[in-house]
Amino acid sequence: MSLFVINRYLGDEVDSTEDRAKALLEKLRQQAKDRQSQLKCKEQNVKEVSKSYSEEVVEDTVEIKNHSEEKKKKPKKRKKNLSDETPTEMEKPSLDAEPEEGEELKAKKPRKKKINKEQQEKSIGIEAQEGPNKKVHKKESTISASSESVQSEDAKAPQKKKPKQRDEDFSKESGDSTNGDTKVPLKKNNGTEVEESSAQTEEAKVDQKSQRKQNSSTDPNFLLLGGFEAKPVQKVLPVLPQWLAKPNLVQKDIKHNLVSVHDIPGLDPYIIKKLEANKVKTFFPVQADVIPAILDSCAHGFLVGRGGYRPNDICVSAPTGSGKTLAFVVPIVQVLTKRVVCEVRALVVLPTKELAQQVCKVFNVYADGTGLKVVLIAGHKSFAKEQETLVTKKIFGFCSLADILVCTPGRLVDHIQKTEGFTLRHLRYLVIDEADRMIDTMSQDWLPQVISAAYKAEPRDHGTLFARKMPGVPTAANYGQLQLPLQKLLFSATLTHNPEKLQKLGLYQPRLFTSIYKQLKSDPTDGQTQPATSENFSLPQGLTHYYIPCNLNSKPLILLHFLLTLRFSRVLCFTNSKESSHRFGGISVAEFSSRLSPGERKKTLKEFEQGKLQLLISTDATARGIDVTGVKCVINYDAPQYIRVYVHRVGRTARGGTTGLAFTMLLRIQEQRYLNMMREAGVPKLQKQLVMSESLRQFEQRYEEVLSQLQRVVKQERAQKRC
Ligand SMILES: Nc1ncnc2c1ncn2[C@@H]1O[C@H](COP(=O)(O)OP(=O)(O)OP(=O)(O)O)[C@@H](O)[C@H]1O
């Protein structure tokens, strides 16, 4: 039956059943063999597939990881590629060098070790959940996403085409990754490439940074923000105005720089005669420089300065006793001598009555015989009496009685405000003597009042040469009409060089004459020289000054030693208070202080000048400007607190080119500070003078007698004050 079935199945009809059966059996065997071999093949295939799959899983996770790392590093790699090598050069070896299978395994092992275990487990875990198909899909999508992202970036930046091509190649390669033959060597090469490229990107980073720095430092078109560290900070140096920085220098040495009065250009014979009559045959340096400068402003007429413009104001800073008074008295007297009508044309303002009196005296000497009237208003007389000397009332109105007015600021302001008919509308010269001290009195507002009085408009002046307008900007319109200019002349032994202070005086294009040679300091930044800005002072050439280290008790004994042992005559001794000036009241001395009336002071000074008094004890009342002839020695019994005070005190000796001595008694604690003050002020070094205690002992008895007298005087004074 079975054979029948087999025959039917084979469809053969064999005659011989035995042969047929054999043939059938053979066929069946063959079929069974084929089936078995097929099954074997299938099993083997399944095994191989599962093995390669597990390997693939690992490889793919590495590949994904590497790819994600590569993706992170890609921009850097691309930058490097742009500068160093083309991507094709990098890829070619990976495509060409396909290793054998043995090599493939060798290459796989070390790569597996390198993989971070955690990441491996993690990625495997994810794949186990998603299954192999999903995993493959995921891998492809990741790669394609990365290539897309690169592509999209590349689309934005067309210059980065080469990296794009490389990414495309990479995606092709990953597409072929199902084929083990091509995938493995590529992975190997990519892996090493990642390592290499990470090192290369680090190098590239450093290169790019340094290149960027170079570019920013060399390329002037780029401003590097935040690069402050290398910039040198420029110092701001104080800069003086040109007129202060480059003054006209006046010689300090009087003796060797005398100029004959005949050699001064523009000086009238009348004035020369007057000078010679007063034993002035030569001019001191400051006079030889300043007199021609003042005369020059009137050389082409009385109304305006040289060339028809407003004349420059003049500032003079010269040592004490250098003859500044004559430097303004002579030209003013010469210019005003030609006046027709008596009006106040010169106003000289001084800080104290004594100084005003002294200057008035000099004006009177040179104005004598010219018809010029010199009037002093400084509080010596009553206000009403001063008014009578200033103006007089006539039928047609008020008339001035003064051509030259010498005054103190307080009294001047009083007359401007209260004296009827008093006018300054014709004022041509405003002289400010002891100018640095006068700047200190600016708070009294005397200068603005003088200026507004000088430019006060009067209806009767309209259309005349005396019509005045407050000077404005120098334009053709402003200078269209000729008018009387007002010129300021400033004099001082200690004139400030501080532009801020000088600005208060409202100077017009000033010229400075000074004998202070400021040391130029070199500026290390640009190698140029700049004028020193600190105040410097100059002392008379003939002055020798010393300091005496002492204690409080020895001070009066030292003074006695000077007067009695060394026999100094006409010693001017300065103390800081009236009380100190009493200390020597018992000996052949006199005091000169604000306690005395103006009459008493005048008498005392006269006696001192005549040599009737050996010692004059003074407060700073006489320190400024007072010209006492024949003072041989100045003693600072109390050290002055300011350098300006020192300069004016010691300047009472060595005047007019003569010689003189100055001593300053210093307590031990004052010594260093004082010497520093002198050095900073540029004053020549003080010499130390020691007085032996043996030479002082003989005066102790005498001094005690004086002290007992002093007690009585002080008691009397206090009693007087109470009354
Ligand atoms: N050309 C001269 N020939 C001789 N003596 C002169 C001459 N000029 C001035 N003197 C005298 O020199 C002395 C000092 O002059 P003056 O008082 O003008 O000095 P100063 O510079 O104003 O001093 P200070 O700053 O202390 O006021 C005076 O006694 C004066 O008479």
Side-chain angles (χ1 to χ4, degrees):
M1 183 65 188
S2 63
L3 281 173
F4 175 76
V5 171
I6 291 164
N7 282 335
R8 289 278 309 263
Y9 174 71
L10 293 172
D12 290 336
E13 284 183 20
V14 184
D15 292 333
S16 157
T17 29
E18 223 179 51
D19 289 340
R20 276 187 198 166
K22 278 181 183 177
L24 272 170
L25 200 64
E26 203 52 50
K27 258 188 175 179
L28 286 169
R29 274 181 194 157
Q30 190 62 41
Q31 282 175 352
K33 263 186 183 178
D34 288 342
R35 272 187 212 131
Q36 271 182 352
S37 66
Q38 274 179 357
L39 277 170
K40 266 187 182 177
C41 274
K42 275 183 185 175
E43 274 174 16
Q44 216 172 357
N45 278 342
V46 168
K47 271 182 188 176
E48 273 180 17
V49 167
S50 65
K51 192 184 174 186
S52 68
Y53 171 70
S54 65
E55 284 170 3
E56 250 175 53
V57 167
V58 175
E59 291 295 336
D60 288 345
T61 46
V62 172
E63 196 176 318
I64 289 164
K65 189 188 157 211
N66 286 342
H67 188 69
S68 64
E69 277 175 14
E70 199 177 48
K71 194 181 156 191
K72 279 181 198 169
K73 289 172 185 176
K74 232 166 206 174
K76 291 171 192 171
K77 210 198 280 182
R78 265 191 276 128
K79 277 175 195 168
K80 188 185 181 302
N81 290 341
L82 279 171
S83 59
D84 295 339
E85 50 188 312
T86 56
T88 44
E89 278 171 337
M90 290 177 76
E91 283 163 19
K92 270 178 186 171
S94 67
L95 290 167
D96 297 341
E98 290 182 5
E100 299 294 323
E101 216 167 326
E103 283 176 27
E104 182 189 327
L105 291 170
K106 277 177 201 171
K108 276 183 186 175
K109 278 183 182 174
R111 287 212 57 223
K112 280 181 187 173
K113 279 178 190 173
K114 281 180 193 172
I115 299 164
N116 185 321
K117 276 187 179 178
E118 275 180 28
Q119 282 180 334
Q120 192 181 352
E121 283 166 12
K122 207 177 176 182
S123 45
I124 291 168
I126 294 163
E127 285 149 15
Q129 284 173 10
E130 290 179 351
N133 293 332
K134 276 195 178 181
K135 183 248 147 205
V136 171
H137 174 73
K138 186 186 172 185
K139 183 188 80 178
E140 282 172 359
S141 66
T142 315
I143 291 165
S144 63
S146 74
S147 65
E148 265 172 31
S149 68
V150 171
Q151 275 174 355
S152 64
E153 271 179 35
D154 290 340
K156 282 176 198 169
Q159 70 272 23
K160 293 175 185 175
K161 272 186 176 175
K162 283 182 180 175
K164 184 191 166 188
Q165 193 189 337
R166 191 194 175 284
D167 289 338
E168 280 169 2
D169 292 344
F170 181 81
S171 62
K172 273 181 202 168
E173 287 155 20
S174 20
D176 294 338
S177 65
T178 44
N179 182 347
D181 291 340
T182 53
K183 188 180 78 177
V184 175
L186 273 174
K187 279 180 185 174
K188 179 193 167 188
N189 284 318
N190 283 344
T192 50
E193 192 183 305
V194 169
E195 282 171 15
E196 273 174 24
S197 65
S198 68
Q200 283 168 348
T201 44
E202 284 303 313
E203 279 175 33
K205 267 186 198 174
V206 176
D207 284 356
Q208 281 169 0
K209 270 186 186 177
S210 63
Q211 210 174 348
R212 242 181 275 153
K213 267 192 180 180
Q214 272 184 356
N215 288 343
S216 62
S217 60
T218 52
D219 196 340
N221 297 324
F222 286 98
L223 173 67
L224 183 65
L225 295 176
F228 306 114
E229 64 284 351
K231 281 183 188 170
V233 182
Q234 246 189 339
K235 275 186 184 174
V236 179
L237 291 167
V239 179
L240 287 174
Q242 199 70 359
W243 71 277
L244 282 172
K246 291 185 176 167
N248 299 56
L249 293 176
V250 175
Q251 291 294 329
K252 264 198 288 189
D253 185 359
I254 293 175
K255 263 189 181 176
H256 299 101
N257 293 291
L258 294 169
V259 181
S260 170
V261 291
H262 297 278
D263 294 344
I264 299 298
L267 214 59
D268 278 357
Y270 158 77
I271 290 286
I272 294 174
K273 249 191 193 176
K274 267 274 173 192
L275 286 164
E276 286 175 338
N278 286 288
K279 295 176 187 164
V280 176
K281 293 184 176 156
T282 50
F283 277 133
F284 292 167
V286 67
Q287 296 161 349
D289 289 342
V290 174
I291 292 171
I294 299 174
L295 289 175
D296 203 32
S297 63
C298 281
H300 299 284
F302 187 67
L303 288 172
V304 286
R306 195 186 174 131
Y309 292 100
R310 191 178 164 192
N312 302 70
D313 291 333
I314 287 174
C315 300
V316 180
S317 177
T320 51
S322 60
K324 293 188 288 293
T325 313
L326 225 52
F328 62 83
V329 167
V330 168
I332 287 176
V333 169
Q334 177 172 314
V335 170
L336 299 189
T337 309
K338 293 156 193 164
R339 68 103 174 104
V340 181
V341 185
C342 179
E343 292 287 358
V344 178
R345 292 204 171 86
L347 180 67
V348 186
V349 190
L350 297 116
T352 62
K353 284 177 197 172
E354 282 70 32
L355 278 176
Q357 218 168 1
Q358 189 177 289
V359 169
C360 187
K361 205 169 142 187
V362 180
F363 264 116
N364 275 322
V365 168
Y366 289 91
D368 186 35
T370 61
L372 290 173
K373 291 171 187 166
V374 184
V375 173
L376 173 71
I377 48 164
H380 294 86
K381 297 176 189 168
S382 69
F383 190 71
K385 278 198 175 167
E386 281 183 351
Q387 282 180 319
E388 285 172 20
T389 58
L390 275 177
V391 285
T392 181
K393 197 168 187 182
K394 292 192 175 170
I395 316 156
F396 51 86
F398 287 99
C399 280
S400 175
L401 295 175
D403 289 292
I404 299 163
L405 191 61
V406 185
C407 59
T408 50
R411 264 298 159 98
L412 174 66
V413 168
D414 284 349
H415 285 290
I416 290 172
Q417 291 171 350
K418 294 169 190 166
T419 302
E420 205 183 354
F422 175 69
T423 179
L424 294 174
R425 283 180 301 124
H426 304 95
L427 195 64
R428 173 67 177 79
Y429 295 107
L430 172 60
V431 182
I432 306 174
D433 201 1
E434 304 297 340
D436 61 315
R437 171 87 185 274
M438 295 305 292
I439 290 170
D440 297 340
T441 64
M442 285 301 178
S443 54
Q444 296 168 15
D445 269 0
W446 65 270
L447 186 60
Q449 295 206 41
V450 169
I451 300 295
S452 60
Y455 289 98
K456 196 174 173 183
E458 294 247 335
R460 63 189 161 114
D461 289 340
H462 188 71
T464 68
L465 285 175
F466 300 111
R468 265 181 153 177
K469 272 196 294 180
M470 194 74 90
V473 185
T475 59
N478 281 348
Y479 284 81
Q481 189 195 346
L482 288 182
Q483 63 170 348
L484 191 72
L486 173 58
Q487 189 176 17
K488 290 181 194 134
L489 310 174
L490 271 65
F491 293 84
S492 178
T494 50
L495 185 70
T496 179
H497 283 204
N498 185 343
E500 217 172 308
K501 284 188 176 179
L502 288 166
Q503 194 236 343
K504 291 180 188 172
L505 298 165
L507 300 173
Y508 175 76
Q509 296 187 354
R511 284 180 73 188
L512 175 65
F513 293 85
T514 182
S515 44
I516 296 165
Y517 309 126
K518 288 191 172 185
Q519 281 186 342
L520 294 176
K521 59 179 181 186
S522 65
D523 178 7
T525 54
D526 60 0
Q528 288 183 342
T529 51
Q530 299 279 333
T533 46
S534 63
E535 296 280 0
N536 280 337
F537 301 94
S538 65
L539 293 173
Q541 202 81 352
L543 180 81
T544 316
H545 59 162
Y546 303 89
Y547 75 95
I548 307 164
C550 63
N551 55 45
L552 265 177
N553 295 335
S554 63
K555 274 188 178 184
L557 304 176
I558 291 169
L559 191 58
L560 288 170
H561 171 69
F562 277 133
L563 293 168
L564 301 173
T565 316
L566 303 177
R567 297 190 180 279
F568 283 161
S569 61
R570 278 187 272 191
V571 174
L572 186 59
C573 179
F574 285 100
T575 58
N576 285 349
S577 65
K578 281 190 272 182
E579 280 67 30
S580 300
S581 67
H582 287 319
R583 221 166 261 264
F584 312 95
I587 28 180
S588 57
V589 294
E591 71 171 87
F592 185 90
S593 68
S594 57
R595 200 176 65 88
L596 305 175
S597 67
E600 281 174 318
R601 284 207 225 174
K602 198 176 172 183
K603 189 174 157 247
T604 310
L605 272 184
K606 204 170 186 180
E607 283 178 357
F608 184 62
E609 266 183 337
Q610 289 166 348
K612 289 179 186 169
L613 295 168
Q614 193 185 4
L615 174 67
L616 183 69
I617 296 171
S618 171
T619 56
D620 285 319
T622 56
R624 257 188 196 262
I626 291 293
D627 184 42
V628 186
T629 43
V631 176
K632 289 283 166 220
C633 177
V634 169
I635 295 175
N636 287 315
Y637 187 85
D638 294 323
Q641 291 186 344
Y642 304 103
I643 187 66
R644 278 171 197 275
V645 179
Y646 180 85
V647 170
H648 286 285
R649 278 186 181 183
V650 298
R652 297 314 99 204
T653 186
R655 295 177 72 77
T658 59
T659 56
L661 291 168
F663 295 92
T664 304
M665 295 188 200
L666 290 179
L667 302 175
R668 301 272 175 209
I669 49 161
Q670 292 176 320
E671 217 175 299
Q672 201 48 51
R673 184 198 154 257
Y674 211 78
L675 296 176
N676 287 344
M677 184 175 83
M678 294 286 172
R679 197 179 51 246
E680 281 165 20
V683 168
K685 205 183 170 190
L686 280 174
Q687 294 174 45
K688 195 173 186 172
Q689 179 71 45
L690 292 171
V691 180
M692 297 295 150
S693 52
E694 296 86 59
S695 29
L696 302 180
R697 224 162 269 151
Q698 52 176 316
F699 303 111
E700 282 175 3
Q701 168 92 32
R702 190 153 182 186
Y703 180 61
E704 275 176 20
E705 288 167 20
V706 174
L707 276 182
S708 60
Q709 281 181 17
L710 175 67
Q711 273 184 340
R712 280 201 301 275
V713 174
V714 171
K715 271 182 189 171
Q716 276 174 9
E717 261 185 23
R718 280 180 187 163
Q720 275 177 1
K721 268 187 189 172
R722 272 185 224 127
C723 293

CSV table of all heavy atoms in Angstrom, one decimal, residues 676-694:
chain,number,residue,atom,x,y,z
A,676,ASN,N,61.8,121.8,57.3
A,676,ASN,CA,61.1,121.2,56.2
A,676,ASN,C,60.3,122.3,55.5
A,676,ASN,O,60.3,122.3,54.2
A,676,ASN,CB,60.1,120.2,56.7
A,676,ASN,CG,60.8,118.9,57.1
A,676,ASN,OD1,62.0,118.7,56.8
A,676,ASN,ND2,60.1,118.1,57.9
A,677,MET,N,59.7,123.2,56.2
A,677,MET,CA,58.9,124.3,55.7
A,677,MET,C,59.8,125.1,54.8
A,677,MET,O,59.4,125.5,53.6
A,677,MET,CB,58.3,125.1,56.8
A,677,MET,CG,57.3,126.2,56.3
A,677,MET,SD,56.5,127.1,57.7
A,677,MET,CE,57.8,128.2,58.1
A,678,MET,N,61.0,125.4,55.2
A,678,MET,CA,61.9,126.2,54.5
A,678,MET,C,62.3,125.5,53.2
A,678,MET,O,62.3,126.2,52.1
A,678,MET,CB,63.2,126.5,55.3
A,678,MET,CG,62.9,127.3,56.5
A,678,MET,SD,62.7,129.0,56.0
A,678,MET,CE,62.2,129.8,57.5
A,679,ARG,N,62.6,124.3,53.3
A,679,ARG,CA,63.1,123.5,52.1
A,679,ARG,C,62.0,123.4,51.1
A,679,ARG,O,62.2,123.7,49.9
A,679,ARG,CB,63.5,122.1,52.6
A,679,ARG,CG,64.3,121.4,51.5
A,679,ARG,CD,64.8,120.0,52.0
A,679,ARG,NE,63.7,119.2,52.4
A,679,ARG,CZ,63.6,118.8,53.7
A,679,ARG,NH1,64.5,119.1,54.6
A,679,ARG,NH2,62.6,118.0,54.0
A,680,GLU,N,60.7,123.2,51.5
A,680,GLU,CA,59.6,123.1,50.6
A,680,GLU,C,59.4,124.4,49.9
A,680,GLU,O,58.9,124.4,48.7
A,680,GLU,CB,58.4,122.6,51.3
A,680,GLU,CG,58.4,121.1,51.5
A,680,GLU,CD,57.3,120.7,52.6
A,680,GLU,OE1,56.4,121.4,52.8
A,680,GLU,OE2,57.5,119.6,53.1
A,681,ALA,N,59.6,125.5,50.6
A,681,ALA,CA,59.4,126.8,50.0
A,681,ALA,C,60.5,127.3,49.1
A,681,ALA,O,60.4,128.3,48.5
A,681,ALA,CB,59.1,127.8,51.1
A,682,GLY,N,61.5,126.5,49.0
A,682,GLY,CA,62.6,126.8,48.1
A,682,GLY,C,63.5,127.9,48.7
A,682,GLY,O,64.3,128.6,47.9
A,683,VAL,N,63.4,128.2,50.0
A,683,VAL,CA,64.2,129.2,50.6
A,683,VAL,C,65.6,128.6,50.9
A,683,VAL,O,65.7,127.5,51.3
A,683,VAL,CB,63.5,129.6,52.0
A,683,VAL,CG1,64.4,130.4,52.8
A,683,VAL,CG2,62.2,130.4,51.7
A,684,PRO,N,66.7,129.5,50.7
A,684,PRO,CA,68.0,129.0,50.9
A,684,PRO,C,68.2,128.4,52.3
A,684,PRO,O,67.6,128.9,53.2
A,684,PRO,CB,68.9,130.2,50.7
A,684,PRO,CG,68.1,131.1,49.9
A,684,PRO,CD,66.7,130.8,50.2
A,685,LYS,N,69.0,127.4,52.4
A,685,LYS,CA,69.2,126.7,53.7
A,685,LYS,C,69.6,127.6,54.9
A,685,LYS,O,70.4,128.4,54.8
A,685,LYS,CB,70.2,125.6,53.5
A,685,LYS,CG,70.0,124.4,54.5
A,685,LYS,CD,71.1,123.4,54.3
A,685,LYS,CE,71.0,122.4,55.4
A,685,LYS,NZ,72.2,121.5,55.5
A,686,LEU,N,68.9,127.3,56.0
A,686,LEU,CA,69.2,128.1,57.2
A,686,LEU,C,70.5,127.5,57.9
A,686,LEU,O,70.6,126.3,57.9
A,686,LEU,CB,68.0,127.9,58.2
A,686,LEU,CG,66.8,128.7,58.1
A,686,LEU,CD1,65.8,128.3,59.1
A,686,LEU,CD2,67.1,130.2,58.3
A,687,GLN,N,71.3,128.4,58.4
A,687,GLN,CA,72.5,128.0,59.1
A,687,GLN,C,72.2,127.9,60.6
A,687,GLN,O,71.5,128.7,61.1
A,687,GLN,CB,73.7,128.9,58.8
A,687,GLN,CG,74.1,129.0,57.3
A,687,GLN,CD,75.1,130.0,57.1
A,687,GLN,OE1,76.1,130.2,57.9
A,687,GLN,NE2,75.0,130.8,56.0
A,688,LYS,N,72.8,126.9,61.2
A,688,LYS,CA,72.6,126.7,62.6
A,688,LYS,C,73.6,127.6,63.4
A,688,LYS,O,74.8,127.6,63.1
A,688,LYS,CB,72.9,125.2,63.0
A,688,LYS,CG,72.3,124.8,64.3
A,688,LYS,CD,72.5,123.3,64.4
A,688,LYS,CE,71.9,122.7,65.6
A,688,LYS,NZ,71.9,121.3,65.6
A,689,GLN,N,73.1,128.3,64.4
A,689,GLN,CA,73.9,129.2,65.3
A,689,GLN,C,73.7,128.7,66.7
A,689,GLN,O,72.6,128.9,67.3
A,689,GLN,CB,73.5,130.6,65.1
A,689,GLN,CG,74.3,131.6,65.9
A,689,GLN,CD,75.7,131.8,65.4
A,689,GLN,OE1,75.9,131.9,64.2
A,689,GLN,NE2,76.7,131.8,66.3
A,690,LEU,N,74.8,128.2,67.3
A,690,LEU,CA,74.7,127.8,68.7
A,690,LEU,C,75.1,128.9,69.7
A,690,LEU,O,76.1,129.6,69.4
A,690,LEU,CB,75.5,126.6,69.0
A,690,LEU,CG,75.1,125.3,68.3
A,690,LEU,CD1,76.1,124.2,68.4
A,690,LEU,CD2,73.7,124.8,68.8
A,691,VAL,N,74.4,129.1,70.8
A,691,VAL,CA,74.8,130.1,71.8
A,691,VAL,C,75.1,129.3,73.1
A,691,VAL,O,74.3,128.6,73.6
A,691,VAL,CB,73.7,131.1,72.0
A,691,VAL,CG1,74.1,132.2,73.1
A,691,VAL,CG2,73.3,131.9,70.8
A,692,MET,N,76.4,129.5,73.6
A,692,MET,CA,76.8,128.7,74.7
A,692,MET,C,76.1,129.2,76.0
A,692,MET,O,75.9,130.4,76.2
A,692,MET,CB,78.4,128.9,74.9
A,692,MET,CG,79.2,128.3,73.8
A,692,MET,SD,78.9,126.6,73.6
A,692,MET,CE,79.1,126.3,71.9
A,693,SER,N,75.8,128.2,76.8
A,693,SER,CA,75.1,128.5,78.1
A,693,SER,C,75.9,129.4,79.0
A,693,SER,O,75.4,130.2,79.8
A,693,SER,CB,74.6,127.3,78.8
A,693,SER,OG,75.7,126.4,78.9
A,694,GLU,N,77.3,129.3,78.9
A,694,GLU,CA,78.2,130.1,79.8
A,694,GLU,C,78.0,131.6,79.5
A,694,GLU,O,78.0,132.4,80.4
A,694,GLU,CB,79.7,129.7,79.6
A,694,GLU,CG,80.0,128.3,80.0
A,694,GLU,CD,79.8,127.3,78.9
A,694,GLU,OE1,80.4,127.5,77.8
A,694,GLU,OE2,79.0,126.4,79.1
